[in-house]
């Protein structure tokens, strides 16, 4: 395979704003940038509409007060901070809670069809960690409806979309962004985007782990692109293992079972048939959690006078409890526990409230959730860590580089509450889009220049696997990486295992320098994986290094050798950056919350 020269640099396009990713955050950012007057393009690795946002089934968290008039942004803010174990960036949590209701109503104006209360308002359901029922929903297909609505809006506005196109490098002009370089997945031909503003909305990192709810696109592209471009990452040690992913049958392993199943009455049972979550209520949540089965069951019909079932504790608490039961030998035959709604709700209710869950598992696995419990366990679902951004604008430390959604860090702290992901996409997607457009318009007097030398270098790096003879198979390297992350950097961690993981990741990175890909650039999934692997290795090292440094247990980060939460660590963030080709780590103080917001936690 020849190297790249001036004659085969590929096609070139010029825009004000290029959005990388077409999930909820990317689409909302593109709409906002377009509305602000910027020439905008969306670049997505897969097909438009096939975004991971559709996995968020339960609802959009927004304090609209449709079912509970007492609900408001301050309660939502407090729930989000408590769920994140107070490590969230307070300003992001504040903006999110304040603006989420408007973003939901905006979706409704654009055609989203929400479920309704008896008096015609948008219906809202219960989710773990939320004091009130505040998730606006469309059955258990909320993410799908959100993508449908945003996609329709973006197409109607005439925003350019480049589908099945992978970005491999952020291009710079000095200290500022100049555009992005990538290739068409079908043909392998290169493509360069000249743009003063690039918004990363690439989602998460789940394909670095063996068992994950994430689809093939989630290889940490945005995280790695940002670091290589000079941006910083924050909170990378906090990886959320959704407590309820299917573990059996194999055809559905890792697929998510929405939290709505528990919100609508489903309970967790061990192999002895016992509801074990009552044994795992942390002191922090005891005041608001039922400690008897009788009170927990009464809550479904009388929420005002009873406390919530422990099955609706925040996700990190539930995942740890499940893990503990399995380790104690009280798990299912396939290493999970049982989630039972069949014995607690009639079939018609289940099919009406959870239509996707019912049809999906019936079709894919011949599991009838109206007749039998599901075998579930923790599955790698979401990364709280991401690009360090300014809360108000979504800007990274690199001029012209923005991030929104799962690829951005800070909003969720140590643990994300269910339902906060969709509202996060809407609130910060819009803010990143607007501010990227404003920045691009400001730079028109001093336009950015794309350096052809950098474009050639990016192209040669992408083609490197074709020039290596007798090297490593990318599928083998990915498989070994997934084993390392699953076994050594999973839901429970120790210093010894994390040090071992870093040693293994270093060896894998050396192997990944010598990947060999057969064939040509057309329709070549092995080549695509070889490129993705570089990102997965960067991100995996960031996670393991931050996890080793944080000597405490908090939220999605559990250290078996440091099982307690350390108040001193509650004032610090771990920030990662690239320095001379390696991962560099610094500890910096947590942003200070204003007194008027601190007072909310004293009530």
């Amino acid at each position: 395979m020849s190297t790249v020269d001036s004659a085969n640099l590929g096609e070139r396009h010029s825009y004000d704003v290029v959005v990388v990713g077409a999930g909820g955050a990317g689409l909302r950012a593109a709409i906002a940038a377009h509305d602000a007057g910027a020439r905008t393009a969306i670049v997505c690795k897969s097909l438009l509409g096939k975004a991971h946002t559709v996995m968020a089934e339960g609802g959009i968290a927004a304090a609209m007060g449709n079912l509970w008039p007492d609900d408001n942004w301050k309660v939502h803010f407090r729930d989000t901070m408590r769920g994140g174990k107070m490590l969230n960036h307070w300003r992001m949590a504040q903006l999110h809670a304040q603006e989420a209701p408007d973003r939901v109503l905006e979706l409704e104006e654009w055609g989203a069809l929400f479920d309704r209360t008896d008096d015609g308002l948008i219906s809202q359901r219960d989710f773990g960690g939320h004091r009130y029922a505040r998730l606006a929903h469309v059955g258990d297909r909320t993410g799908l409806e959100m993508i449908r609505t945003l996609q329709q809006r973006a197409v109607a506005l005439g925003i350019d979309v480049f589908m099945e196109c992978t970005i491999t490098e952020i291009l710079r002009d000095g200290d500022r962004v100049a555009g992005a370089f990538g290739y068409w997945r079908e043909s392998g031909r290169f493509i360069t985007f000249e743009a003063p503003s690039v918004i990363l909305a690439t989602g998460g990192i789940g394909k670095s782990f063996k068992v994950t709810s994430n689809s093939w696109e989630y290889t940490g592209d945005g995280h790695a692109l940002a670091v290589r471009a000079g941006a910083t990452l924050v909170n990378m040690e906090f990886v959320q293992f959704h407590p309820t992913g299917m573990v059996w049958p194999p055809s559905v392993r890792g697929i998510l079972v929405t939290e709505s199943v528990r919100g609508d009455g489903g309970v967790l049972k061990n192999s002895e048939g016992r509801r074990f979550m009552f044994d795992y209520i942390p002191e922090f949540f005891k005041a608001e959690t039922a400690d008897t089965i009788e009170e927990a069951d009464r809550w479904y019909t009388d929420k005002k006078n009873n406390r919530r079932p422990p099955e609706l504790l925040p996700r990190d608490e539930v995942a740890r409890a499940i893990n503990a039961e399995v380790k104690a030998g009280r798990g299912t035959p396939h290493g999970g526990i049982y989630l039972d709604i069949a014995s607690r709700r009639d079939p018609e209710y289940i099919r009406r409230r959870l239509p996707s869950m019912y049809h999906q598992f019936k079709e894919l696995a011949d599991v009838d959730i109206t007749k039998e419990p599901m075998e579930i366990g923790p599955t790698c679902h979401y990364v709280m860590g991401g690009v360090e951004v300014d809360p108000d604008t979504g800007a990274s430390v690199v001029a012209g580089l923005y991030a929104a959604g799962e690829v951005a860090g800070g909003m969720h702290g140590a643990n994300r509450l269910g339902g906060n992901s969709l509202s996060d996409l809407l609130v910060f997607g819009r803010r990143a889009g607007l501010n990227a457009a404003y920045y691009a318009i400001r730079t028109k007097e001093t336009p950015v220049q794309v350096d052809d030398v950098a474009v050639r270098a990016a192209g040669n790096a992408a083609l490197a696997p074709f020039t290596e003879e007798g090297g490593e198979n990318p599928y083998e390297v990915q498989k070994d990486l997934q084993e390392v992350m699953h076994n050594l950097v999973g839901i429970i961690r120790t210093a010894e295992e994390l040090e071992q993981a870093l040693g293994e990741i270093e060896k894998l990175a050396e192997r990944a320098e010598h990947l060999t890909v057969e064939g040509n650039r057309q329709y070549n999934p092995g080549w695509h994986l070889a490129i993705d692997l570089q990102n997965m290795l960067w991100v995996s090292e960031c996670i393991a290094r931050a996890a080793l440094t944080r000597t405490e247990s908090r939220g999605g980060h559990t250290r078996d050798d440091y099982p307690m939460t350390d108040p001193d660590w509650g004032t610090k963030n771990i920030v990662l950056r690239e320095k001379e080709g390696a991962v560099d780590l610094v500890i910096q103080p947590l942003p200070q919350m204003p007194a008027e917001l601190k007072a909310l936690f004293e009530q």
Side-chain angles (χ1 to χ4, degrees):
M1 187 69 61
S2 62
T3 56
V4 180
D5 56 35
S6 299
N8 60 3
L9 286 177
E11 63 189 275
R12 187 169 289 204
H13 300 270
S14 179
Y15 289 94
D16 296 323
V17 176
V18 170
V19 181
V20 186
L27 287 169
R28 189 62 192 85
I31 292 166
H34 174 276
D35 289 350
R39 292 174 301 115
T40 304
I42 298 168
V43 184
C44 56
K45 196 173 177 180
S46 187
L47 295 169
L48 187 65
K50 195 209 165 289
H52 206 266
T53 304
V54 302
M55 292 295 291
E57 298 144 325
I60 308 170
M64 305 174 79
N66 290 353
L67 289 183
W68 293 92
D70 290 343
D71 198 13
N72 57 57
W73 77 262
K74 292 179 180 177
V75 183
H76 190 184
F77 166 77
R78 189 171 62 200
D79 289 346
T80 297
M81 293 295 300
R82 281 161 58 91
K85 305 301 186 284
M86 305 303 288
L87 214 66
N88 325 54
H89 194 305
W90 65 267
R91 178 62 175 162
M92 293 184 84
Q94 180 191 25
L95 288 169
H96 169 257
Q98 287 174 334
E99 296 181 9
D102 285 344
R103 301 286 75 78
V104 172
L105 292 172
E106 191 172 56
L107 271 188
E108 185 183 38
E109 288 172 18
W110 294 345
L113 300 171
F114 289 100
D115 292 347
R116 298 284 162 182
T117 63
D118 291 340
D119 51 1
L121 297 174
I122 292 174
S123 181
Q124 298 188 271
R125 63 159 45 117
D126 289 287
F127 245 47
H130 293 279
R131 182 173 175 185
Y132 297 110
R134 67 164 67 99
L135 269 75
H137 57 91
V138 185
D140 56 355
R141 299 188 179 113
T142 312
L144 181 63
E145 180 68 2
M146 183 165 136
I147 283 292
R148 182 195 69 77
T149 305
L150 292 172
Q151 178 183 316
Q152 211 166 30
R153 181 78 176 176
V155 170
L157 292 172
I159 296 170
D160 291 345
V161 180
F162 295 79
M163 285 189 275
E164 295 189 286
C165 182
T166 294
I167 296 298
T168 65
E169 212 65 50
I170 301 297
L171 302 170
R172 293 196 303 176
D173 179 1
D175 294 332
R176 57 183 183 158
V177 164
F181 174 85
Y183 69 97
W184 291 104
R185 297 179 70 85
E186 179 185 347
S187 65
R189 293 184 181 278
F190 294 133
I191 182 169
T192 300
F193 296 92
E194 297 177 348
S197 291
V198 173
I199 301 172
L200 297 172
T202 52
I205 53 88
K207 293 310 285 184
S208 292
F209 288 82
K210 186 167 74 171
V211 180
T212 179
S213 66
N214 295 179
S215 60
W216 63 267
E217 301 97 332
Y218 266 37
T219 50
D221 298 0
H223 292 77
L225 287 169
V227 168
R228 290 201 299 268
T232 49
L233 303 181
V234 66
N235 298 147
M236 289 302 292
E237 63 271 38
F238 299 110
V239 178
Q240 182 173 86
F241 288 80
H242 193 292
T244 58
M246 292 290 272
V247 298
W248 193 260
S251 59
V252 289
R253 188 175 81 162
I255 290 181
L256 220 58
V257 180
T258 175
E259 206 162 321
S260 311
V261 173
R262 285 172 283 141
D264 283 337
V267 296
L268 300 173
K269 295 178 181 177
N270 60 22
S271 58
E272 300 165 359
R274 191 168 65 84
R275 282 179 72 177
F276 58 85
M277 280 305 302
F278 294 96
D279 303 336
Y280 296 95
I281 304 171
E283 198 66 41
F284 196 63
F285 293 104
K286 275 191 174 171
E288 59 209 50
T289 307
D291 52 15
T292 66
I293 288 176
E294 293 74 23
E295 183 182 7
D297 285 348
R298 287 196 304 268
W299 177 85
Y300 291 102
T301 52
D302 182 8
K303 293 181 172 66
K304 199 152 196 167
N305 298 306
N306 295 282
R307 294 174 296 173
R308 304 163 63 79
E311 281 87 359
L312 291 176
L313 282 164
R315 290 175 175 179
D316 59 322
E317 308 290 357
V318 179
R320 274 196 295 273
I322 292 170
N323 191 71
E325 286 293 300
V326 173
K327 278 196 166 180
R330 295 186 290 271
T332 67
H334 304 103
I337 53 92
Y338 294 110
L339 172 55
D340 175 27
I341 193 170
S343 69
R344 295 174 56 80
R345 294 285 184 262
D346 63 67
E348 185 188 346
Y349 178 92
I350 295 170
R351 285 192 290 264
R352 177 169 53 84
R353 294 282 293 182
L354 304 160
S356 289
M357 289 290 99
Y358 172 74
H359 289 293
Q360 176 174 257
F361 295 125
K362 193 81 176 73
E363 295 296 322
L364 295 178
D366 200 26
V367 172
D368 188 341
I369 69 169
T370 69
K371 294 180 180 175
E372 59 188 303
M374 293 162 266
E375 277 192 66
I376 59 93
T379 178
C380 178
H381 180 54
Y382 191 93
V383 62
M384 275 68 75
V387 182
E388 190 179 26
V389 294
D390 175 74
D392 289 79
T393 64
S396 75
V397 295
V398 178
L401 185 63
Y402 297 77
E406 189 174 355
V407 72
M411 161 63 202
H412 304 289
N415 175 53
R416 176 179 66 79
L417 294 186
N420 272 358
S421 58
L422 290 186
S423 37
D424 170 21
L425 305 181
L426 295 170
V427 169
F428 294 107
R430 174 181 171 273
R431 282 183 165 268
L434 289 175
N435 286 284
Y438 299 154
Y439 171 82
I441 291 163
R442 288 198 304 272
T443 62
K444 285 192 185 296
E445 292 178 9
T446 54
V448 293
Q449 300 290 323
V450 167
D451 182 1
D452 284 353
V453 173
V455 173
R456 280 196 293 275
N460 287 329
L463 293 177
F466 289 111
T467 62
E468 185 87 29
E469 291 185 11
E472 293 274 354
N473 182 329
Y475 290 97
E476 285 297 318
V477 177
Q478 185 197 25
K479 178 175 160 291
D480 292 346
L481 175 63
Q482 289 174 331
E483 289 287 346
V484 167
M485 295 302 286
H486 179 81
N487 295 328
L488 304 176
V489 198
I491 191 167
I492 307 291
R493 301 155 173 178
T494 66
E496 184 182 357
E497 289 180 344
L498 291 166
E499 285 166 356
Q500 186 185 342
L502 285 166
E504 294 294 331
I505 291 167
E506 187 177 350
K507 292 177 195 168
L508 288 165
E510 289 169 7
R511 288 170 60 190
E513 287 178 12
H514 304 285
L515 298 174
T516 295
V517 172
E518 302 293 337
N520 54 41
R521 287 154 66 176
Q522 289 81 34
Y523 300 105
N524 194 329
W527 179 43
H528 305 328
L529 179 60
I531 290 171
D532 292 341
L533 258 174
Q534 308 303 325
N535 300 331
M536 295 165 74
L537 286 160
W538 264 104
V539 168
S540 297
E541 182 179 349
C542 287
I543 293 169
R545 203 165 288 288
L548 179 61
T549 304
R550 185 173 286 276
T551 50
E552 66 158 354
S553 292
R554 183 184 297 267
H557 169 67
T558 301
R559 287 283 296 267
D560 215 18
D561 46 356
Y562 292 93
M564 304 304 291
T565 298
D566 183 343
D568 188 44
W569 271 112
T571 64
K572 298 172 183 175
N573 273 334
I574 294 173
V575 175
L576 301 130
R577 69 194 77 214
E578 184 269 340
K579 188 175 182 182
E580 297 174 0
V583 173
D584 183 52
L585 181 151
V586 295
I587 296 169
Q588 66 186 35
L590 195 69
Q592 284 296 304
M593 187 187 299
E596 64 268 21
L597 293 179
K598 274 186 188 173
L600 296 174
F601 299 91
E602 295 159 11
Q603 294 174 10

